[in-house]
Amino acid sequence: MAFGDGGNDIEMLRLAGQSYAMANAPLLVQNEAKYLAPSNDDGVLSVLEAFLTEED
């Protein structure tokens, strides 16, 4: 799982199994990620909380 919001994160997002671009990231970065997370204010935390509390 990887999170990114800048051009320097594109390679990491391409390689990650679950890639999230932050909502405030440029469109170029958002287009490389599989998922969109809320802005970087609390976006990583909200995605991780949802992932960790998800029931099968």
Side-chain angles (χ1 to χ4, degrees):
M1 186 179 287
F3 297 87
D5 66 353
N8 62 318
D9 298 322
I10 289 175
E11 185 175 358
M12 173 183 65
L13 295 172
R14 288 179 181 161
L15 295 172
Q18 293 183 353
S19 57
Y20 291 83
M22 309 316 292
N24 58 303
L27 283 178
L28 177 66
V29 177
Q30 292 183 23
N31 291 335
E32 293 294 335
K34 293 178 184 162
Y35 307 102
L36 187 62
S39 74
N40 60 359
D41 293 330
D42 63 354
V44 174
L45 177 60
S46 65
V47 170
L48 289 175
E49 283 179 336
F51 180 78
L52 293 173
T53 58
E54 186 177 277
E55 294 186 27
D56 291 327

